[in-house]
Amino acid sequence: MNKITKNLIILIGIISILASIYGLLNDRKLIEVIGGIAIGLSIIGSVFLRQNKNRS
């Protein structure tokens, strides 16, 4: 995975987390935004797991 693709995927994950936090601050229930946070963390985590797998 090249650097531009990796950075784009991380950016999408961060946007997902920030959008969920924004929804939480605008009177959304936690159960409604937890999915967006989980998806964002999963996307970011997958990039780093793949990076560690390639090093091995």
Side-chain angles (χ1 to χ4, degrees):
M1 181 181 315
N2 62 22
K3 189 172 183 172
I4 294 172
T5 305
K6 183 172 49 171
N7 288 339
L8 181 63
I9 292 172
I10 292 172
L11 179 66
I12 291 170
I14 291 171
I15 289 171
S16 174
I17 294 169
L18 291 177
S20 298
I21 292 172
Y22 177 76
L24 189 62
L25 294 175
N26 284 325
D27 298 329
R28 298 275 187 197
K29 295 180 183 175
L30 180 62
I31 196 72
E32 294 174 352
V33 299
I34 197 92
I37 294 171
I39 289 170
L41 290 174
S42 298
I43 290 171
I44 294 170
S46 68
V47 170
F48 289 111
L49 286 175
R50 182 176 172 111
Q51 181 179 3
N52 288 339
K53 184 179 178 183
N54 289 341
R55 286 185 184 171
S56 302

